Amino acid sequence: MGKKDLNTGLKLGVDSKWQYSPAPESTSHINLKKKYDLFIDGKWVAPSSGKYFDTINPATEEKIADIAEANEKDVDKAVKAARKAFGPWSKLPAKERAKFIYRIARLIQERAREFSVIESLDGGKAIRESRDVDVPLAAAHFFYNAGWADKLDYAFPGKKPEAIGVAGQIIPWNFPLLMAAWKLAPALACGNTVVLKPAETTPLTALKLAELVQEAGLPDGVVNIVTGAGSTGSSIVNHNDIDKIAFTGSTGVGKIIQKSIVGTNKRATLELGGKAANIIFEDAPIDQAVEGIINGIYFNQGHVCCAGSRLFIEEPVYDQVIRKLKDRINTLIVGDPLDKNTDIGAINSKAQLKTIKDYIKIGKKEGAEFFEGSCSLPSKGFFCKPTLFTGVAQSNKIVQEEIFGPVLAVQTFRSVDEVIKKANNTPYGLSAGVWTDKGSKIFNLTSQMRAGVVWANTYNKFDPASPFGGYKESGFGREGGLHGLSAYLNLN
Amino acid sequence: MSTKTKNVSTKDLATESLSNNNGNGMQKNERLEVLKTYKVYIGGKFPRTESGRYYKPTNSKGEILGNICLSSRKDVRNSVVAARKAFTGWSGATAFNKSQILYRIAEMLETRKAQFIEEIVFQGSTEAEAKEEVAAAVETFVYYAGWADKFQQVFSSVNPVSGSYFNFSAYEPMGVVGIIAPENNSLLGLAQSIAPAIVGGNTVVVLASESKPLCSITLSEVFHTSDVPGGVINVLTGKLDELVSFFGSHMDVNAVSFHRESDKHLHTIQELAVDNIKRVKNYTPSTYKTEAETQNPYKIIDLQEVKTTWHPIEVIGASGSGY
């Protein structure tokens, strides 16, 4: 039987024949307070305004805890604490600094289960992902960067690296703990002190991380965590004693930050949006590629800046790929984030769910053909089925704009040149994917993609040793790896 | 020769030269010197500014340096188009090829030393300063030529990720880079700002020194005869005040490398850069006296993006074989 025959008509009826019994992860062992204050200078401090906001579970819409809202005064307090701590921390023998960071890594590993459950509760991501990706990677980031602390002299030939000072770090809601680790670990290893602001919808794991910082015995003021929404973030960005801004989030906010630091000596790294092309050639290992497409767009509900949200299929395999893709989408389970069988958890917030639904409406209006998974959705909470659009044009909004949800836009191509042009025809440049069995074609494509991370025959892989960051309007600077260190150092 | 040439008339031209200010006035029976028209350099051609405008910078003695093109917004845009067109070819050229071309620039520059010294002296430097500057410019191109096939090796990495993947990070040029060249050091400043940008595969649009523009066009002639493909280096003369916003706002410029002592202009560029998240690199105008100032591979890296590539490795070991 030839390859062609194998690929026609065969289908596993997983969705219709098998039912999964619920397998919820227990929440009995987690430790959460009803109310969280700000973590400033090693202590829990009530916000000066006395204001608190709710953090809710997006899968149930139930409140989890009260979270302090930091205003300019509170941010100022945090920056002052960080400034005071900077001298001693940066002068600490590097190997001692390393050991503090190693301690954090170990503490995360020890409490991995608790962190995973809280991450899924607060942010809505499937426990399978928080357990297997977010939390282990967060620990790995601290572990990797800890070791750099006393080896920085080897990282930049001919240069004498020195800590910058106080870093203001603002992180998004899609990978709350992992993004905190991406920011904190290199900053601390390089001898800086930090004021970190988690996203307002997902503050819990960062606040739990503050507990670990205390437990690890870090000197007071080295890590400060302030919670709040956009205005808290802008207080950090505009504080005149901040030396470096690290931001992960939308391109829109990134531009505001870039503009507001003009005329200051603040350094910045921006990790912003994306609209990645995932390109599948006729000679690709089709089944693996289909898995890669699924992982590329539906991983973390599509709340991923490097998501493979634009799929390009070479015409000869278009029908085959679409059929397999739809079959696979129909097997995906959307539901309780804490259930170990769940593939796609809850959309992070009501606002984000509305954004996604609006884009789906726009896609339909623009004339594209719509498909969504056949699964059922829970009656409560913010959920969205995995969806895809075929027959889209390059000019369509759903092709041009980042949706940040489980929405895939599918286009076709006939030649290598055509797909390179189409793939690069976007203001973004964060990531790309290429699927083909031919080595020389892989390297042609990976080198032609104007993007900072390119996955060939795989997708959405992350590692602390692997630099991550974008070209063009996806921001500048790298996080992770040796190249991520320079953002936190003055190279003299 | 001492007369100021404020109004260039035929009579003035008959008795002295605009560009050849060597202190010897023309004798009556000498031939009439052919004067050089300074034009701009776009896409491998030497057009006049499309605006048809010119300005007349003078040296400290008040002598007019020439009728210099007062480039316009349209010239900037034409240059960016030329630079973008040249980008694929130049960034794709082998490192060895780029290295050879930069070295060739040094060779061409060396053989035209006298002309540059003359221009630099005319612009107001002493003979000794001019000689030193030209020599340093030649050294600059030799130095960066050598980095072409080395900076990747020194600064790239293979990343030991957890899992069966081959993962590496390498540098790629940012794309089209706008260079606001230093106001002083009209030759060395160009060399120091252009060489690190192009050796890494970027294509550039350069705004030359406003008050000392002569070397920029002569240097363009050097580029032109050094096998630098047309469009890789584009050189404009004119006023920063007028052109600054176009460098900042052009949506197809990926980065700006800024070498002037003007916070006002820097901030204009930084603010406009936000529209397409241009990378703006600010270099304090340098005296170019120390090696640390003139020989710095991190200036190449400043205009590079890091690309990380992942590929799975088949796990042969799992089936028992291995080495």
Side-chain angles (χ1 to χ4, degrees), chain B residues 35-62:
Chain B
L35 298 180
K36 174 169 173 177
T37 304
Y38 287 94
K39 301 198 275 185
V40 293
Y41 185 49
I42 301 174
K45 293 195 168 63
F46 289 91
R48 286 177 214 276
T49 164
E50 67 79 41
S51 69
R53 304 173 309 164
Y54 66 98
Y55 71 110
K56 290 184 168 186
T58 54
N59 63 18
S60 57
K61 295 178 199 155

PDB file of all heavy atoms in Angstrom, chain B residues 35-62:
ATOM      1  N   LEU B  35      36.244  71.327 -12.069  1.00  0.00           N
ATOM      2  CA  LEU B  35      35.784  71.207 -10.683  1.00  0.00           C
ATOM      3  C   LEU B  35      34.869  70.000 -10.515  1.00  0.00           C
ATOM      4  O   LEU B  35      34.179  69.596 -11.450  1.00  0.00           O
ATOM      5  CB  LEU B  35      35.037  72.486 -10.286  1.00  0.00           C
ATOM      6  CG  LEU B  35      35.889  73.737 -10.331  1.00  0.00           C
ATOM      7  CD1 LEU B  35      35.059  74.948  -9.931  1.00  0.00           C
ATOM      8  CD2 LEU B  35      37.091  73.599  -9.414  1.00  0.00           C
ATOM      9  N   LYS B  36      34.863  69.492  -9.292  1.00  0.00           N
ATOM     10  CA  LYS B  36      34.049  68.313  -9.031  1.00  0.00           C
ATOM     11  C   LYS B  36      32.654  68.719  -8.533  1.00  0.00           C
ATOM     12  O   LYS B  36      32.528  69.566  -7.659  1.00  0.00           O
ATOM     13  CB  LYS B  36      34.729  67.455  -7.975  1.00  0.00           C
ATOM     14  CG  LYS B  36      33.915  66.283  -7.526  1.00  0.00           C
ATOM     15  CD  LYS B  36      34.766  65.366  -6.690  1.00  0.00           C
ATOM     16  CE  LYS B  36      33.909  64.271  -6.093  1.00  0.00           C
ATOM     17  NZ  LYS B  36      34.744  63.333  -5.345  1.00  0.00           N
ATOM     18  N   THR B  37      31.670  68.091  -9.105  1.00  0.00           N
ATOM     19  CA  THR B  37      30.316  68.284  -8.598  1.00  0.00           C
ATOM     20  C   THR B  37      30.044  67.189  -7.575  1.00  0.00           C
ATOM     21  O   THR B  37      30.154  66.002  -7.891  1.00  0.00           O
ATOM     22  CB  THR B  37      29.290  68.170  -9.735  1.00  0.00           C
ATOM     23  OG1 THR B  37      29.645  69.110 -10.735  1.00  0.00           O
ATOM     24  CG2 THR B  37      27.893  68.434  -9.238  1.00  0.00           C
ATOM     25  N   TYR B  38      29.740  67.585  -6.360  1.00  0.00           N
ATOM     26  CA  TYR B  38      29.437  66.602  -5.323  1.00  0.00           C
ATOM     27  C   TYR B  38      27.969  66.210  -5.414  1.00  0.00           C
ATOM     28  O   TYR B  38      27.092  67.047  -5.299  1.00  0.00           O
ATOM     29  CB  TYR B  38      29.757  67.177  -3.949  1.00  0.00           C
ATOM     30  CG  TYR B  38      31.242  67.257  -3.701  1.00  0.00           C
ATOM     31  CD1 TYR B  38      31.960  68.421  -3.963  1.00  0.00           C
ATOM     32  CD2 TYR B  38      31.926  66.141  -3.224  1.00  0.00           C
ATOM     33  CE1 TYR B  38      33.326  68.475  -3.749  1.00  0.00           C
ATOM     34  CE2 TYR B  38      33.296  66.194  -3.012  1.00  0.00           C
ATOM     35  CZ  TYR B  38      33.994  67.364  -3.273  1.00  0.00           C
ATOM     36  OH  TYR B  38      35.330  67.400  -3.061  1.00  0.00           O
ATOM     37  N   LYS B  39      27.739  64.922  -5.640  1.00  0.00           N
ATOM     38  CA  LYS B  39      26.358  64.459  -5.742  1.00  0.00           C
ATOM     39  C   LYS B  39      26.094  63.451  -4.628  1.00  0.00           C
ATOM     40  O   LYS B  39      26.931  63.245  -3.766  1.00  0.00           O
ATOM     41  CB  LYS B  39      26.119  63.860  -7.128  1.00  0.00           C
ATOM     42  CG  LYS B  39      26.388  64.901  -8.232  1.00  0.00           C
ATOM     43  CD  LYS B  39      25.778  64.548  -9.549  1.00  0.00           C
ATOM     44  CE  LYS B  39      26.662  63.627 -10.346  1.00  0.00           C
ATOM     45  NZ  LYS B  39      26.110  63.370 -11.687  1.00  0.00           N
ATOM     46  N   VAL B  40      24.944  62.854  -4.608  1.00  0.00           N
ATOM     47  CA  VAL B  40      24.675  61.848  -3.580  1.00  0.00           C
ATOM     48  C   VAL B  40      24.837  60.465  -4.196  1.00  0.00           C
ATOM     49  O   VAL B  40      25.065  60.327  -5.411  1.00  0.00           O
ATOM     50  CB  VAL B  40      23.276  62.031  -2.952  1.00  0.00           C
ATOM     51  CG1 VAL B  40      23.224  63.328  -2.167  1.00  0.00           C
ATOM     52  CG2 VAL B  40      22.174  61.979  -3.995  1.00  0.00           C
ATOM     53  N   TYR B  41      24.741  59.444  -3.358  1.00  0.00           N
ATOM     54  CA  TYR B  41      24.998  58.077  -3.811  1.00  0.00           C
ATOM     55  C   TYR B  41      23.798  57.207  -3.421  1.00  0.00           C
ATOM     56  O   TYR B  41      23.574  56.919  -2.242  1.00  0.00           O
ATOM     57  CB  TYR B  41      26.282  57.582  -3.141  1.00  0.00           C
ATOM     58  CG  TYR B  41      26.758  56.214  -3.584  1.00  0.00           C
ATOM     59  CD1 TYR B  41      26.865  55.890  -4.936  1.00  0.00           C
ATOM     60  CD2 TYR B  41      27.127  55.250  -2.639  1.00  0.00           C
ATOM     61  CE1 TYR B  41      27.327  54.648  -5.334  1.00  0.00           C
ATOM     62  CE2 TYR B  41      27.598  53.995  -3.032  1.00  0.00           C
ATOM     63  CZ  TYR B  41      27.693  53.700  -4.384  1.00  0.00           C
ATOM     64  OH  TYR B  41      28.163  52.469  -4.782  1.00  0.00           O
ATOM     65  N   ILE B  42      23.014  56.819  -4.423  1.00  0.00           N
ATOM     66  CA  ILE B  42      21.797  56.036  -4.151  1.00  0.00           C
ATOM     67  C   ILE B  42      21.724  54.857  -5.119  1.00  0.00           C
ATOM     68  O   ILE B  42      21.794  55.050  -6.333  1.00  0.00           O
ATOM     69  CB  ILE B  42      20.516  56.899  -4.316  1.00  0.00           C
ATOM     70  CG1 ILE B  42      20.542  58.108  -3.380  1.00  0.00           C
ATOM     71  CG2 ILE B  42      19.268  56.058  -4.058  1.00  0.00           C
ATOM     72  CD1 ILE B  42      19.386  59.071  -3.577  1.00  0.00           C
ATOM     73  N   GLY B  43      21.597  53.675  -4.570  1.00  0.00           N
ATOM     74  CA  GLY B  43      21.401  52.491  -5.403  1.00  0.00           C
ATOM     75  C   GLY B  43      22.539  52.263  -6.379  1.00  0.00           C
ATOM     76  O   GLY B  43      22.320  51.770  -7.496  1.00  0.00           O
ATOM     77  N   GLY B  44      23.762  52.631  -6.005  1.00  0.00           N
ATOM     78  CA  GLY B  44      24.912  52.405  -6.869  1.00  0.00           C
ATOM     79  C   GLY B  44      25.048  53.434  -7.978  1.00  0.00           C
ATOM     80  O   GLY B  44      25.795  53.247  -8.931  1.00  0.00           O
ATOM     81  N   LYS B  45      24.285  54.523  -7.850  1.00  0.00           N
ATOM     82  CA  LYS B  45      24.385  55.596  -8.853  1.00  0.00           C
ATOM     83  C   LYS B  45      24.654  56.917  -8.139  1.00  0.00           C
ATOM     84  O   LYS B  45      24.435  57.032  -6.937  1.00  0.00           O
ATOM     85  CB  LYS B  45      23.076  55.694  -9.638  1.00  0.00           C
ATOM     86  CG  LYS B  45      22.806  54.483 -10.506  1.00  0.00           C
ATOM     87  CD  LYS B  45      21.721  54.783 -11.530  1.00  0.00           C
ATOM     88  CE  LYS B  45      21.640  53.706 -12.593  1.00  0.00           C
ATOM     89  NZ  LYS B  45      21.268  52.385 -12.006  1.00  0.00           N
ATOM     90  N   PHE B  46      25.128  57.867  -8.904  1.00  0.00           N
ATOM     91  CA  PHE B  46      25.432  59.186  -8.329  1.00  0.00           C
ATOM     92  C   PHE B  46      24.490  60.239  -8.900  1.00  0.00           C
ATOM     93  O   PHE B  46      24.870  61.010  -9.779  1.00  0.00           O
ATOM     94  CB  PHE B  46      26.886  59.569  -8.608  1.00  0.00           C
ATOM     95  CG  PHE B  46      27.881  58.755  -7.822  1.00  0.00           C
ATOM     96  CD1 PHE B  46      28.408  57.581  -8.347  1.00  0.00           C
ATOM     97  CD2 PHE B  46      28.280  59.159  -6.558  1.00  0.00           C
ATOM     98  CE1 PHE B  46      29.314  56.828  -7.618  1.00  0.00           C
ATOM     99  CE2 PHE B  46      29.192  58.411  -5.822  1.00  0.00           C
ATOM    100  CZ  PHE B  46      29.712  57.240  -6.350  1.00  0.00           C
ATOM    101  N   PRO B  47      23.262  60.255  -8.418  1.00  0.00           N
ATOM    102  CA  PRO B  47      22.336  61.295  -8.902  1.00  0.00           C
ATOM    103  C   PRO B  47      22.522  62.585  -8.091  1.00  0.00           C
ATOM    104  O   PRO B  47      23.168  62.590  -7.045  1.00  0.00           O
ATOM    105  CB  PRO B  47      20.972  60.694  -8.602  1.00  0.00           C
ATOM    106  CG  PRO B  47      21.190  59.872  -7.377  1.00  0.00           C
ATOM    107  CD  PRO B  47      22.615  59.378  -7.445  1.00  0.00           C
ATOM    108  N   ARG B  48      21.962  63.676  -8.604  1.00  0.00           N
ATOM    109  CA  ARG B  48      21.818  64.847  -7.744  1.00  0.00           C
ATOM    110  C   ARG B  48      20.599  64.611  -6.877  1.00  0.00           C
ATOM    111  O   ARG B  48      19.778  63.743  -7.163  1.00  0.00           O
ATOM    112  CB  ARG B  48      21.539  66.087  -8.605  1.00  0.00           C
ATOM    113  CG  ARG B  48      22.708  66.613  -9.356  1.00  0.00           C
ATOM    114  CD  ARG B  48      22.244  67.779 -10.209  1.00  0.00           C
ATOM    115  NE  ARG B  48      23.001  67.819 -11.455  1.00  0.00           N
ATOM    116  CZ  ARG B  48      24.194  68.393 -11.567  1.00  0.00           C
ATOM    117  NH1 ARG B  48      24.743  68.956 -10.519  1.00  0.00           N
ATOM    118  NH2 ARG B  48      24.837  68.383 -12.710  1.00  0.00           N
ATOM    119  N   THR B  49      20.461  65.383  -5.833  1.00  0.00           N
ATOM    120  CA  THR B  49      19.230  65.261  -5.054  1.00  0.00           C
ATOM    121  C   THR B  49      18.037  65.513  -5.966  1.00  0.00           C
ATOM    122  O   THR B  49      18.094  66.397  -6.831  1.00  0.00           O
ATOM    123  CB  THR B  49      19.192  66.254  -3.876  1.00  0.00           C
ATOM    124  OG1 THR B  49      17.851  66.334  -3.400  1.00  0.00           O
ATOM    125  CG2 THR B  49      19.658  67.639  -4.284  1.00  0.00           C
ATOM    126  N   GLU B  50      16.979  64.721  -5.781  1.00  0.00           N
ATOM    127  CA  GLU B  50      15.811  64.900  -6.652  1.00  0.00           C
ATOM    128  C   GLU B  50      15.195  66.280  -6.443  1.00  0.00           C
ATOM    129  O   GLU B  50      14.486  66.785  -7.280  1.00  0.00           O
ATOM    130  CB  GLU B  50      14.792  63.787  -6.420  1.00  0.00           C
ATOM    131  CG  GLU B  50      14.100  63.784  -5.062  1.00  0.00           C
ATOM    132  CD  GLU B  50      12.976  64.795  -4.924  1.00  0.00           C
ATOM    133  OE1 GLU B  50      12.211  64.943  -5.881  1.00  0.00           O
ATOM    134  OE2 GLU B  50      12.880  65.429  -3.848  1.00  0.00           O
ATOM    135  N   SER B  51      15.502  66.892  -5.291  1.00  0.00           N
ATOM    136  CA  SER B  51      14.908  68.192  -4.979  1.00  0.00           C
ATOM    137  C   SER B  51      15.544  69.319  -5.780  1.00  0.00           C
ATOM    138  O   SER B  51      15.006  70.411  -5.861  1.00  0.00           O
ATOM    139  CB  SER B  51      15.069  68.488  -3.491  1.00  0.00           C
ATOM    140  OG  SER B  51      16.442  68.715  -3.195  1.00  0.00           O
ATOM    141  N   GLY B  52      16.735  69.053  -6.326  1.00  0.00           N
ATOM    142  CA  GLY B  52      17.430  70.089  -7.067  1.00  0.00           C
ATOM    143  C   GLY B  52      18.025  71.167  -6.178  1.00  0.00           C
ATOM    144  O   GLY B  52      18.557  72.162  -6.656  1.00  0.00           O
ATOM    145  N   ARG B  53      17.954  70.970  -4.848  1.00  0.00           N
ATOM    146  CA  ARG B  53      18.436  72.019  -3.951  1.00  0.00           C
ATOM    147  C   ARG B  53      19.903  71.786  -3.577  1.00  0.00           C
ATOM    148  O   ARG B  53      20.408  70.669  -3.696  1.00  0.00           O
ATOM    149  CB  ARG B  53      17.589  72.039  -2.676  1.00  0.00           C
ATOM    150  CG  ARG B  53      16.098  72.206  -2.934  1.00  0.00           C
ATOM    151  CD  ARG B  53      15.314  72.039  -1.650  1.00  0.00           C
ATOM    152  NE  ARG B  53      15.693  70.796  -0.968  1.00  0.00           N
ATOM    153  CZ  ARG B  53      15.410  70.524   0.290  1.00  0.00           C
ATOM    154  NH1 ARG B  53      14.744  71.403   1.025  1.00  0.00           N
ATOM    155  NH2 ARG B  53      15.770  69.390   0.839  1.00  0.00           N
ATOM    156  N   TYR B  54      20.540  72.812  -3.109  1.00  0.00           N
ATOM    157  CA  TYR B  54      21.920  72.652  -2.653  1.00  0.00           C
ATOM    158  C   TYR B  54      22.153  73.578  -1.474  1.00  0.00           C
ATOM    159  O   TYR B  54      21.357  74.455  -1.184  1.00  0.00           O
ATOM    160  CB  TYR B  54      22.903  72.973  -3.774  1.00  0.00           C
ATOM    161  CG  TYR B  54      22.891  74.425  -4.191  1.00  0.00           C
ATOM    162  CD1 TYR B  54      23.846  75.320  -3.695  1.00  0.00           C
ATOM    163  CD2 TYR B  54      21.907  74.901  -5.062  1.00  0.00           C
ATOM    164  CE1 TYR B  54      23.812  76.651  -4.060  1.00  0.00           C
ATOM    165  CE2 TYR B  54      21.872  76.231  -5.424  1.00  0.00           C
ATOM    166  CZ  TYR B  54      22.821  77.106  -4.930  1.00  0.00           C
ATOM    167  OH  TYR B  54      22.772  78.417  -5.283  1.00  0.00           O
ATOM    168  N   TYR B  55      23.245  73.340  -0.743  1.00  0.00           N
ATOM    169  CA  TYR B  55      23.669  74.290   0.284  1.00  0.00           C
ATOM    170  C   TYR B  55      25.168  74.470   0.168  1.00  0.00           C
ATOM    171  O   TYR B  55      25.855  73.688  -0.495  1.00  0.00           O
ATOM    172  CB  TYR B  55      23.232  73.847   1.681  1.00  0.00           C
ATOM    173  CG  TYR B  55      23.956  72.644   2.255  1.00  0.00           C
ATOM    174  CD1 TYR B  55      24.839  72.790   3.327  1.00  0.00           C
ATOM    175  CD2 TYR B  55      23.754  71.362   1.753  1.00  0.00           C
ATOM    176  CE1 TYR B  55      25.498  71.699   3.872  1.00  0.00           C
ATOM    177  CE2 TYR B  55      24.398  70.267   2.287  1.00  0.00           C
ATOM    178  CZ  TYR B  55      25.278  70.432   3.349  1.00  0.00           C
ATOM    179  OH  TYR B  55      25.917  69.353   3.875  1.00  0.00           O
ATOM    180  N   LYS B  56      25.684  75.504   0.810  1.00  0.00           N
ATOM    181  CA  LYS B  56      27.102  75.844   0.654  1.00  0.00           C
ATOM    182  C   LYS B  56      27.787  75.909   2.000  1.00  0.00           C
ATOM    183  O   LYS B  56      27.913  76.991   2.583  1.00  0.00           O
ATOM    184  CB  LYS B  56      27.223  77.213  -0.031  1.00  0.00           C
ATOM    185  CG  LYS B  56      26.810  77.215  -1.483  1.00  0.00           C
ATOM    186  CD  LYS B  56      27.064  78.585  -2.054  1.00  0.00           C
ATOM    187  CE  LYS B  56      26.956  78.578  -3.570  1.00  0.00           C
ATOM    188  NZ  LYS B  56      27.335  79.850  -4.150  1.00  0.00           N
ATOM    189  N   PRO B  57      28.215  74.751   2.502  1.00  0.00           N
ATOM    190  CA  PRO B  57      28.956  74.797   3.758  1.00  0.00           C
ATOM    191  C   PRO B  57      30.317  75.470   3.546  1.00  0.00           C
ATOM    192  O   PRO B  57      30.881  75.396   2.449  1.00  0.00           O
ATOM    193  CB  PRO B  57      29.132  73.334   4.126  1.00  0.00           C
ATOM    194  CG  PRO B  57      28.992  72.587   2.845  1.00  0.00           C
ATOM    195  CD  PRO B  57      28.129  73.402   1.941  1.00  0.00           C
ATOM    196  N   THR B  58      30.806  76.126   4.592  1.00  0.00           N
ATOM    197  CA  THR B  58      32.111  76.778   4.483  1.00  0.00           C
ATOM    198  C   THR B  58      33.044  76.231   5.545  1.00  0.00           C
ATOM    199  O   THR B  58      32.598  75.665   6.546  1.00  0.00           O
ATOM    200  CB  THR B  58      31.976  78.294   4.715  1.00  0.00           C
ATOM    201  OG1 THR B  58      31.314  78.502   5.969  1.00  0.00           O
ATOM    202  CG2 THR B  58      31.176  78.963   3.621  1.00  0.00           C
ATOM    203  N   ASN B  59      34.326  76.396   5.323  1.00  0.00           N
ATOM    204  CA  ASN B  59      35.290  76.018   6.358  1.00  0.00           C
ATOM    205  C   ASN B  59      35.513  77.190   7.301  1.00  0.00           C
ATOM    206  O   ASN B  59      34.885  78.241   7.168  1.00  0.00           O
ATOM    207  CB  ASN B  59      36.593  75.512   5.733  1.00  0.00           C
ATOM    208  CG  ASN B  59      37.302  76.588   4.926  1.00  0.00           C
ATOM    209  OD1 ASN B  59      37.015  77.780   5.088  1.00  0.00           O
ATOM    210  ND2 ASN B  59      38.200  76.169   4.052  1.00  0.00           N
ATOM    211  N   SER B  60      36.414  77.004   8.244  1.00  0.00           N
ATOM    212  CA  SER B  60      36.575  78.031   9.274  1.00  0.00           C
ATOM    213  C   SER B  60      37.091  79.351   8.705  1.00  0.00           C
ATOM    214  O   SER B  60      36.923  80.410   9.297  1.00  0.00           O
ATOM    215  CB  SER B  60      37.514  77.526  10.371  1.00  0.00           C
ATOM    216  OG  SER B  60      38.748  77.164   9.777  1.00  0.00           O
ATOM    217  N   LYS B  61      37.723  79.273   7.540  1.00  0.00           N
ATOM    218  CA  LYS B  61      38.187  80.519   6.913  1.00  0.00           C
ATOM    219  C   LYS B  61      37.091  81.190   6.102  1.00  0.00           C
ATOM    220  O   LYS B  61      37.324  82.216   5.468  1.00  0.00           O
ATOM    221  CB  LYS B  61      39.362  80.216   5.968  1.00  0.00           C
ATOM    222  CG  LYS B  61      40.599  79.698   6.676  1.00  0.00           C
ATOM    223  CD  LYS B  61      41.669  79.385   5.636  1.00  0.00           C
ATOM    224  CE  LYS B  61      42.720  78.456   6.187  1.00  0.00           C
ATOM    225  NZ  LYS B  61      43.390  77.694   5.105  1.00  0.00           N
ATOM    226  N   GLY B  62      35.934  80.543   6.096  1.00  0.00           N
ATOM    227  CA  GLY B  62      34.836  81.115   5.342  1.00  0.00           C
ATOM    228  C   GLY B  62      34.831  80.688   3.889  1.00  0.00           C
ATOM    229  O   GLY B  62      34.031  81.191   3.087  1.00  0.00           O
TER     230      GLY B  62
END
